[in-house]
Amino acid sequence: MAKFFGKNSRDSFRIHSGKIIRSDLFSEDRLLQHSQSLAEIHGDILLATQNNILPNRLNDNARVLLEANILLSQASENGEQITPAGGWLIDNYYLMDAQIQTIRFDLPPGYYKDLPELSSGPFAGLPRVFEIAWALVAHTDSHIEPKTLCQFLSAYQDRRPLLIRELWAIPTQIKIVLIENLRRVADKICQNLQEQKAANALANTVFLDAQASNTKILKTLSRINTETLGPAFLVQFAHRLKGHDPQKDPAFLWLEGILQEKGITLEQVVHEELQEQSALNATIRNIITSMRLITTLDWSSIFENISAVSQILYRHAGFSDMDPATRNLYSKAIEVLAKGSGHAECDIANRVTALAAMAAEEENPDPRRADPGYYLLAEG
């Protein structure tokens, strides 16, 4: 995994690379193995500190996405060619902006104060659930499915149970990573658009004067810093050269010289650019689809299925017969006790279910004492 945070990550969300969050696309088995490996290296955590790293980054992402939407919308209105990925961004910008507002609402002061953070590694100073969300997004190319999400979190907890409050934070953390990835995709889309505009501007300058001599054209081209020219520029400029003699035209010869310096052919550049456009389109489609999914998930039901504490409480015969609000009350009580006592949540859950089971086996059992709630919420 690439290193995205600097040594002073507590003070600034320092990004060393704006690369799209897209790593090796794992199979189901490999993804679960990765989740367990992640859990094993997350042993060194710190008590959380209240910092503004992620909220500040979210605000910056909102600004970049707004600027990208304006740029692409204006280009579309001007009749400029917009890639499919750019079209996805324009069509879904207001959905994503609404989610940014929701995330801000879900990040009240002190939100991160209760989330354990990593003390080492590339995500040091950030909540461990943030890296969990990042890994899931990276290795699925932002394509989140409920089954995959549940299996990933369950596999992680086979090695290291997450706190109740961490599990409740997962949906928001996934949204934050999806927005981060959308920002990076938007950056690339806008960069490509600007390169295409630059290529068109240069082509217009070179071909404006039909009587211009080869010397004059070469003089114009010699002023260009060729080291900064990206694939999108080269492909668009080559497109504008269609119909020109590749053996004699000075602009064509200039382009061929650049490609030779870069050690690549025009066919390779075009092929790689088409592949990148296809990948951008797939990623932004996945981001938007996953964001829609996360907003509609019944997280309460998912929480009960993946929570280590809930699984322990379900060992008590009557727990499954309780209504969801009561079950949530029991979990909340365990969370409060754990925070105040220094004991692990799972240890407390095991203790109260064991006490309830012992009470149920007595000769004249007291039904109150045979319920874990007696030890969590009542006299016990």
Side-chain angles (χ1 to χ4, degrees):
M1 185 177 291
K3 186 173 183 179
F4 292 97
F5 306 96
K7 294 180 180 179
N8 299 321
S9 59
R10 293 178 184 274
D11 304 317
S12 64
F13 192 103
R14 184 180 291 180
I15 295 181
H16 294 261
S17 169
K19 290 182 180 179
I20 293 169
I21 305 172
R22 187 200 296 135
S23 298
D24 295 336
L25 194 61
F26 286 162
S27 65
E28 181 178 303
D29 290 343
R30 181 67 185 89
L31 187 64
L32 300 186
Q33 290 173 5
H34 181 66
S35 179
Q36 293 177 336
S37 297
L38 201 60
E40 290 173 355
I41 65 173
H42 278 179
D44 194 11
I45 59 173
L46 299 171
L47 293 177
T49 57
Q50 186 171 346
N51 61 58
N52 295 317
I53 298 172
L54 293 182
N56 288 345
R57 180 63 178 184
L58 182 68
N59 291 335
D60 192 51
N61 288 344
R63 175 189 60 78
V64 171
L65 290 173
L66 174 60
E67 293 173 354
N69 181 58
I70 293 173
L71 176 66
L72 293 169
S73 297
Q74 290 177 343
S76 179
E77 291 172 2
N78 294 335
E80 298 177 42
Q81 184 178 1
I82 302 297
T83 62
W88 271 93
L89 182 59
I90 294 172
D91 293 341
N92 294 277
Y93 169 74
Y94 290 103
L95 163 70
M96 306 308 284
D97 184 61
Q99 288 307 309
I100 291 175
Q101 306 311 318
T102 300
I103 294 170
R104 284 172 174 159
F105 179 79
D106 291 338
L107 296 178
Y111 173 86
Y112 287 103
K113 197 172 182 180
D114 280 340
L115 296 179
E117 62 184 34
L118 299 168
S119 62
S120 60
F123 293 89
L126 291 165
R128 65 175 169 182
V129 285
F130 179 78
E131 184 173 9
I132 291 171
W134 186 290
L136 183 59
V137 168
H139 292 292
T140 60
D141 192 14
S142 300
H143 181 56
I144 310 296
E145 293 183 339
K147 177 183 176 183
T148 303
L149 173 58
C150 292
Q151 289 179 336
F152 191 82
L153 294 174
S154 296
Y156 183 100
Q157 293 186 101
D158 286 343
R159 296 288 191 274
R160 194 177 304 279
L162 292 168
L163 298 179
I164 290 171
R165 54 188 177 275
E166 289 183 291
L167 288 174
W168 281 111
I170 289 289
T172 299
Q173 296 300 301
I174 291 176
K175 288 182 182 181
I176 291 173
V177 178
L178 290 174
I179 292 294
E180 173 69 29
N181 209 16
L182 183 66
R183 177 247 178 90
R184 295 169 184 233
V185 173
D187 277 340
K188 186 60 180 175
I189 293 171
C190 292
Q191 177 188 336
N192 289 345
L193 179 63
Q194 299 288 31
E195 288 185 13
Q196 290 170 358
K197 285 184 175 183
N200 286 329
L202 180 59
N204 292 339
T205 299
V206 169
F207 306 137
L208 184 63
D209 184 0
Q211 305 302 318
S213 65
N214 289 354
T215 301
K216 185 177 181 180
I217 292 174
L218 288 173
K219 186 175 181 180
T220 299
L221 295 173
S222 67
R223 303 191 188 103
I224 307 299
N225 181 5
T226 60
E227 293 183 1
T228 63
L229 302 182
F233 177 98
L234 298 175
V235 170
Q236 183 61 21
F237 193 72
H239 176 72
R240 293 293 302 273
L241 289 175
K242 281 188 175 180
H244 291 247
D245 189 343
Q247 304 297 325
K248 298 180 180 179
D249 186 89
F252 220 122
L253 295 174
W254 174 78
L255 177 62
E256 283 294 333
I258 295 173
L259 294 172
Q260 288 180 8
E261 288 179 2
K262 295 179 179 295
I264 193 170
T265 66
L266 179 57
E267 290 75 16
Q268 289 174 318
V269 172
V270 172
H271 177 70
E272 290 178 3
E273 184 65 11
L274 289 175
Q275 281 190 321
E276 180 181 77
Q277 292 303 323
S278 177
L280 286 175
N281 190 44
T283 299
I284 196 170
R285 181 182 66 243
N286 290 343
I287 290 171
I288 293 165
T289 302
S290 295
M291 185 67 82
R292 291 183 185 275
L293 170 71
I294 294 297
T295 60
T296 59
L297 281 178
D298 180 3
W299 192 252
S300 296
S301 297
I302 292 177
F303 169 84
E304 286 202 313
N305 289 328
I306 62 177
S307 166
V309 167
S310 292
Q311 298 310 305
I312 294 171
L313 291 175
Y314 268 114
R315 297 173 191 166
H316 173 66
F319 189 71
S320 60
D321 296 329
M322 299 176 187
D323 60 82
T326 302
R327 292 197 297 266
N328 183 59
L329 194 62
Y330 282 28
S331 293
K332 199 70 181 175
I334 289 175
E335 181 180 18
V336 172
L337 283 171
K339 289 175 67 176
S341 68
H343 292 284
E345 292 174 347
C346 288
D347 290 343
I348 294 175
N350 279 317
R351 180 63 174 162
V352 297
T353 53
L355 289 171
M358 289 171 59
E361 293 174 357
E362 293 177 356
E363 185 174 346
N364 294 306
D366 180 346
R368 295 181 308 154
R369 294 176 180 273
D371 188 309
Y374 175 78
Y375 308 96
L376 294 171
L377 304 165
E379 293 88 340

Coordinates of all heavy atoms in Angstrom, one line a residue, residues 161-205:
P161 N -11.3 -8.1 17.3 CA -12.6 -7.5 17.4 C -12.6 -6.0 17.3 O -11.7 -5.3 18.0 CB -13.2 -8.0 18.7 CG -12.4 -9.2 19.0 CD -11.1 -9.0 18.5
L162 N -13.5 -5.4 16.6 CA -13.6 -3.9 16.6 C -14.6 -3.5 17.7 O -15.5 -4.2 18.1 CB -14.1 -3.4 15.3 CG -13.2 -3.6 14.1 CD1 -13.9 -3.4 12.8 CD2 -12.0 -2.7 14.2
L163 N -14.3 -2.3 18.2 CA -15.2 -1.7 19.2 C -16.6 -1.4 18.6 O -16.7 -1.2 17.4 CB -14.6 -0.4 19.8 CG -13.3 -0.6 20.5 CD1 -12.8 0.8 21.0 CD2 -13.4 -1.6 21.7
I164 N -17.6 -1.4 19.5 CA -19.0 -1.1 19.0 C -19.0 0.2 18.3 O -19.6 0.4 17.2 CB -19.9 -1.1 20.2 CG1 -20.1 -2.5 20.7 CG2 -21.3 -0.5 19.8 CD1 -20.9 -2.6 22.1
R165 N -18.4 1.3 18.8 CA -18.4 2.6 18.2 C -17.6 2.6 16.9 O -17.9 3.4 16.0 CB -17.9 3.6 19.1 CG -16.5 3.4 19.7 CD -16.2 4.4 20.8 NE -14.9 4.2 21.4 CZ -14.8 3.5 22.5 NH1 -15.8 2.8 23.0 NH2 -13.6 3.4 23.1
E166 N -16.6 1.7 16.7 CA -15.9 1.6 15.5 C -16.8 1.0 14.4 O -16.8 1.5 13.2 CB -14.7 0.8 15.6 CG -13.6 1.4 16.4 CD -12.3 0.6 16.5 OE1 -12.4 -0.5 17.2 OE2 -11.3 1.0 15.9
L167 N -17.6 0.0 14.7 CA -18.5 -0.6 13.7 C -19.5 0.4 13.3 O -19.9 0.5 12.1 CB -19.1 -1.8 14.3 CG -18.2 -3.0 14.5 CD1 -19.0 -4.2 15.3 CD2 -17.7 -3.6 13.2
W168 N -20.0 1.2 14.2 CA -21.0 2.2 13.8 C -20.4 3.3 12.9 O -21.1 4.0 12.2 CB -21.6 2.9 15.0 CG -22.7 2.0 15.7 CD1 -22.6 1.4 16.9 CD2 -24.0 1.7 15.1 NE1 -23.8 0.7 17.1 CE2 -24.6 0.8 16.1 CE3 -24.6 2.0 14.0 CZ2 -25.9 0.3 15.9 CZ3 -25.9 1.5 13.7 CH2 -26.5 0.6 14.7
A169 N -19.1 3.5 13.0 CA -18.4 4.5 12.2 C -18.0 4.0 10.8 O -17.7 4.9 9.9 CB -17.1 4.9 12.9
I170 N -18.1 2.7 10.6 CA -17.7 2.2 9.3 C -18.4 2.8 8.1 O -17.7 3.2 7.1 CB -17.9 0.7 9.2 CG1 -16.9 0.0 10.1 CG2 -17.8 0.1 7.8 CD1 -15.5 0.0 9.6
P171 N -19.7 3.0 8.0 CA -20.4 3.6 6.8 C -19.8 5.0 6.5 O -19.6 5.3 5.3 CB -21.9 3.6 7.2 CG -22.0 2.5 8.2 CD -20.7 2.5 9.0
T172 N -19.7 5.8 7.6 CA -19.2 7.1 7.3 C -17.7 7.1 6.8 O -17.4 7.9 5.9 CB -19.3 8.0 8.6 OG1 -20.6 8.1 9.0 CG2 -18.7 9.4 8.4
Q173 N -16.9 6.2 7.4 CA -15.5 6.1 6.9 C -15.5 5.7 5.4 O -14.6 6.2 4.7 CB -14.8 5.1 7.8 CG -14.6 5.6 9.3 CD -13.9 6.9 9.4 OE1 -12.8 7.0 9.0 NE2 -14.6 7.9 10.0
I174 N -16.3 4.8 5.1 CA -16.3 4.3 3.6 C -16.7 5.5 2.8 O -16.1 5.7 1.7 CB -17.3 3.1 3.4 CG1 -16.7 1.9 4.1 CG2 -17.5 2.9 2.0 CD1 -17.7 0.7 4.1
K175 N -17.7 6.3 3.2 CA -18.1 7.5 2.4 C -17.0 8.4 2.3 O -16.7 9.0 1.2 CB -19.3 8.2 3.1 CG -20.6 7.4 3.0 CD -21.7 8.3 3.7 CE -23.1 7.6 3.6 NZ -24.1 8.4 4.3
I176 N -16.2 8.6 3.4 CA -15.1 9.6 3.3 C -14.0 9.1 2.3 O -13.5 9.9 1.5 CB -14.4 9.7 4.7 CG1 -15.4 10.4 5.7 CG2 -13.1 10.4 4.6 CD1 -14.9 10.5 7.1
V177 N -13.7 7.8 2.3 CA -12.8 7.3 1.3 C -13.3 7.4 -0.1 O -12.5 7.7 -1.0 CB -12.4 5.8 1.7 CG1 -11.4 5.3 0.7 CG2 -11.8 5.8 3.1
L178 N -14.6 7.1 -0.3 CA -15.1 7.2 -1.6 C -15.1 8.6 -2.1 O -14.8 8.9 -3.3 CB -16.6 6.7 -1.6 CG -16.8 5.2 -1.4 CD1 -18.3 4.9 -1.3 CD2 -16.2 4.4 -2.6
I179 N -15.4 9.6 -1.3 CA -15.2 11.0 -1.7 C -13.8 11.4 -2.0 O -13.5 12.1 -3.0 CB -15.8 11.9 -0.6 CG1 -17.3 11.8 -0.4 CG2 -15.4 13.4 -0.8 CD1 -18.1 12.3 -1.6
E180 N -12.9 10.9 -1.2 CA -11.4 11.1 -1.5 C -11.1 10.5 -2.8 O -10.3 11.2 -3.6 CB -10.6 10.4 -0.4 CG -9.1 10.4 -0.6 CD -8.5 11.8 -0.5 OE1 -9.0 12.7 0.2 OE2 -7.5 12.0 -1.2
N181 N -11.6 9.3 -3.1 CA -11.2 8.7 -4.4 C -11.9 9.5 -5.6 O -11.3 9.7 -6.6 CB -11.7 7.3 -4.4 CG -10.9 6.4 -5.4 OD1 -9.8 6.8 -5.7 ND2 -11.4 5.3 -5.7
L182 N -13.1 10.0 -5.4 CA -13.8 10.8 -6.4 C -13.0 12.0 -6.7 O -12.9 12.4 -7.9 CB -15.2 11.1 -5.9 CG -16.0 11.9 -7.0 CD1 -16.3 11.0 -8.2 CD2 -17.4 12.4 -6.3
R183 N -12.5 12.6 -5.7 CA -11.6 13.8 -5.9 C -10.4 13.5 -6.7 O -10.1 14.3 -7.6 CB -11.2 14.4 -4.5 CG -10.2 15.6 -4.6 CD -8.8 15.3 -4.1 NE -7.9 16.4 -4.3 CZ -7.7 17.3 -3.3 NH1 -8.3 17.2 -2.2 NH2 -6.9 18.3 -3.6
R184 N -9.8 12.4 -6.5 CA -8.6 12.0 -7.3 C -9.0 11.7 -8.7 O -8.3 12.1 -9.7 CB -7.9 10.8 -6.6 CG -7.4 11.1 -5.3 CD -6.9 9.9 -4.5 NE -6.5 10.3 -3.1 CZ -5.3 10.0 -2.6 NH1 -4.5 9.2 -3.3 NH2 -5.0 10.4 -1.4
V185 N -10.1 11.1 -8.9 CA -10.6 10.8 -10.3 C -10.9 12.1 -11.0 O -10.6 12.3 -12.1 CB -11.9 9.9 -10.3 CG1 -12.5 9.8 -11.7 CG2 -11.5 8.5 -9.8
A186 N -11.6 13.0 -10.3 CA -11.9 14.3 -10.8 C -10.7 15.1 -11.2 O -10.7 15.8 -12.3 CB -12.8 15.1 -9.8
D187 N -9.7 15.0 -10.4 CA -8.4 15.7 -10.7 C -7.8 15.2 -12.0 O -7.4 16.0 -12.9 CB -7.4 15.4 -9.6 CG -7.5 16.4 -8.4 OD1 -8.1 17.5 -8.6 OD2 -7.0 16.1 -7.3
K188 N -7.9 13.9 -12.2 CA -7.4 13.3 -13.4 C -8.2 13.6 -14.6 O -7.7 13.9 -15.7 CB -7.3 11.7 -13.3 CG -6.6 11.0 -14.4 CD -5.2 11.5 -14.6 CE -4.5 10.8 -15.8 NZ -3.2 11.3 -16.1
I189 N -9.5 13.6 -14.5 CA -10.4 14.0 -15.6 C -10.1 15.5 -16.0 O -10.0 15.7 -17.2 CB -11.9 13.9 -15.1 CG1 -12.2 12.4 -14.9 CG2 -12.8 14.5 -16.2 CD1 -13.6 12.2 -14.3
C190 N -10.0 16.4 -15.0 CA -9.8 17.8 -15.3 C -8.4 18.0 -15.9 O -8.2 18.8 -16.8 CB -9.9 18.6 -14.1 SG -11.7 18.7 -13.5
Q191 N -7.4 17.2 -15.4 CA -6.1 17.3 -16.0 C -6.1 16.9 -17.5 O -5.5 17.6 -18.3 CB -5.1 16.4 -15.2 CG -3.7 16.3 -15.8 CD -2.8 15.3 -15.1 OE1 -3.1 14.9 -14.0 NE2 -1.8 14.8 -15.8
N192 N -6.8 15.8 -17.8 CA -6.9 15.3 -19.2 C -7.6 16.4 -20.0 O -7.2 16.6 -21.2 CB -7.6 14.0 -19.3 CG -6.8 12.9 -18.7 OD1 -5.6 13.0 -18.5 ND2 -7.5 11.8 -18.4
L193 N -8.6 17.0 -19.5 CA -9.3 18.0 -20.3 C -8.4 19.2 -20.6 O -8.4 19.7 -21.7 CB -10.6 18.5 -19.5 CG -11.4 19.6 -20.1 CD1 -12.0 19.0 -21.5 CD2 -12.5 20.0 -19.2
Q194 N -7.7 19.6 -19.6 CA -6.8 20.7 -19.8 C -5.7 20.4 -20.8 O -5.3 21.3 -21.6 CB -6.1 21.2 -18.4 CG -7.1 21.6 -17.4 CD -7.7 23.0 -17.6 OE1 -7.9 23.4 -18.8 NE2 -8.1 23.7 -16.6
E195 N -5.2 19.2 -20.8 CA -4.2 18.8 -21.7 C -4.8 18.8 -23.1 O -4.1 19.2 -24.1 CB -3.7 17.4 -21.4 CG -2.8 17.3 -20.2 CD -2.2 15.9 -19.9 OE1 -2.3 15.1 -20.8 OE2 -1.6 15.7 -18.8
Q196 N -6.0 18.3 -23.3 CA -6.6 18.3 -24.6 C -6.8 19.8 -25.1 O -6.6 20.0 -26.3 CB -8.0 17.6 -24.5 CG -7.9 16.1 -24.3 CD -9.2 15.5 -24.0 OE1 -10.2 16.1 -23.8 NE2 -9.2 14.2 -23.8
K197 N -7.2 20.7 -24.2 CA -7.4 22.1 -24.5 C -6.0 22.6 -25.0 O -6.0 23.4 -26.0 CB -7.9 22.9 -23.4 CG -9.4 22.7 -23.1 CD -9.8 23.6 -21.9 CE -11.3 23.5 -21.7 NZ -11.8 24.4 -20.6
A198 N -5.0 22.3 -24.3 CA -3.6 22.8 -24.6 C -3.2 22.3 -26.0 O -2.6 23.0 -26.8 CB -2.6 22.4 -23.6
A199 N -3.5 21.0 -26.3 CA -3.2 20.4 -27.6 C -4.0 21.1 -28.7 O -3.4 21.4 -29.8 CB -3.5 18.9 -27.6
N200 N -5.2 21.4 -28.5 CA -6.0 22.1 -29.5 C -5.5 23.5 -29.7 O -5.5 24.0 -30.8 CB -7.5 22.1 -29.0 CG -8.2 20.7 -29.2 OD1 -7.8 20.0 -30.1 ND2 -9.2 20.5 -28.3
A201 N -5.2 24.2 -28.6 CA -4.7 25.5 -28.7 C -3.4 25.6 -29.5 O -3.2 26.4 -30.4 CB -4.4 26.1 -27.3
L202 N -2.5 24.6 -29.3 CA -1.2 24.5 -30.0 C -1.5 24.2 -31.5 O -0.9 24.8 -32.4 CB -0.3 23.5 -29.4 CG 1.1 23.3 -30.1 CD1 1.8 24.6 -30.1 CD2 1.9 22.2 -29.5
A203 N -2.4 23.3 -31.7 CA -2.7 22.9 -33.1 C -3.3 24.1 -33.8 O -3.0 24.4 -35.0 CB -3.7 21.7 -33.1
N204 N -4.2 24.9 -33.2 CA -4.8 26.0 -33.8 C -3.7 27.1 -34.1 O -3.8 27.7 -35.2 CB -5.8 26.7 -32.9 CG -7.0 25.8 -32.7 OD1 -7.3 24.9 -33.6 ND2 -7.8 26.0 -31.6
T205 N -2.7 27.2 -33.2 CA -1.7 28.2 -33.5 C -0.8 27.8 -34.6 O -0.5 28.6 -35.5 CB -0.8 28.3 -32.2 OG1 -1.6 28.8 -31.1 CG2 0.4 29.3 -32.4

